[in-house]
Every structure is written in structure tokens, then in C-alpha cells.
Amino acid sequence: MAIDFWKNSGIKAVSFNDSAQLTTLGNDYGYEHVFEKPIEMFAVPGDLLFALSSSGRSPNILKGVEAARRRECAVVTLSGFAEDNPLRTQGDLNFYVAAPSYALVEVAHHSICHGLLDIVMTSRSSAGEVCSA
């Protein structure tokens, strides 16, 4: 999705999923910190974090949200499973998928992200900005 956002809408976007980065940070700090550490390093006030967790209970995602808040970033959350999952209320905008299945939650999250991208592309296109498809 990060590539779709920067390629198709011109929004600077990055995904913290580099295998060497995840392995190093997991080994050095613990897996619960693999997103917190790069957010602390790279995020600047005004950035937007998309935090996705099917269960809404993943410690690494929750710590990433906390780091984004400390860096004065906006947060969009996408979660599922139990209604009371902690991620569900941590964002400025929260998407909750009331489903008990990873497949259903993840497909819904992917659809939501593509829908948001379409909204951005449509609004930029109508404003006269060029977006490639």
C-alpha cells in the first residue's frame, strides 16, 4: 500500500517491513519495538501513521502508535476481532471490522486502504493534480 500511495497519489509513504530492519530491531530491542524504533527515528510532526492489527492487540503495533503520538503524528487504525481491542480507539480515525476471521479482517482492511487511496486520487485529480494509475 505504501508504494501505491506514493506512486499513484504522490504522497510520501514508507512501510517498515524490511527483513533486515525487523530482524535487527527484534534482536536488539525485542519484537514489540520493531515499529516503535523506526517511527521514533523517521516520523516528524504532521506525519500520518496507518496502524493495522487484525486483533488490535499486537504489542508492536500499539507501541508504534504510542511512538507516533509522541512525535505528534496523526493516526489511522484498522483492527478487528473483539470489540474491546485496544487499538480500536487509539486513532484519530478508527476502522473496526467486526469479524472473527483473519481472512475477513485483512481483506476488509485492504479494501479500506484502497478506498482511502481512491479518495485521495480523486480529490487530487479534481484539484488539477496529476496522478498516475
Side-chain angles (χ1 to χ4, degrees):
M1 286 306 313
I3 297 208
D4 283 345
F5 270 91
W6 69 255
K7 182 178 73 75
N8 294 326
S9 69
I11 294 174
K12 294 179 184 178
V14 64
S15 176
F16 296 121
N17 65 351
D18 177 78
S19 61
Q21 175 180 303
L22 291 171
T23 301
T24 300
L25 295 175
N27 288 342
D28 291 354
Y29 298 104
Y31 190 71
E32 67 275 13
H33 300 283
V34 296
F35 300 120
E36 175 187 36
K37 294 301 180 183
I39 290 167
E40 288 175 344
M41 173 61 76
F42 296 108
V44 296
D47 279 354
L48 173 63
L49 173 72
F50 278 77
L52 290 77
S53 169
S54 292
S55 71
R57 299 182 186 284
S58 302
N60 55 0
I61 301 297
L62 295 168
K63 287 188 177 299
V65 170
E66 292 170 10
R69 292 294 188 200
R70 289 192 301 271
R71 301 293 292 176
E72 300 178 18
C73 299
V75 176
V76 173
T77 72
L78 296 98
S79 66
F81 294 7
E83 252 181 63
D84 66 346
N85 79 67
L87 185 62
R88 184 176 180 194
T89 59
Q90 298 299 308
D92 299 291
L93 180 60
N94 301 290
F95 293 95
Y96 167 69
V97 178
S101 160
Y102 278 102
L104 293 173
V105 172
E106 289 177 5
V107 166
H109 287 170
H110 199 166
S111 296
I112 290 166
C113 288
H114 274 287
L116 292 171
L117 176 58
D118 284 348
I119 290 168
V120 170
M121 289 174 61
T122 300
S123 68
R124 287 188 169 208
S125 179
S126 64
E129 298 179 36
V130 177
C131 296
S132 61

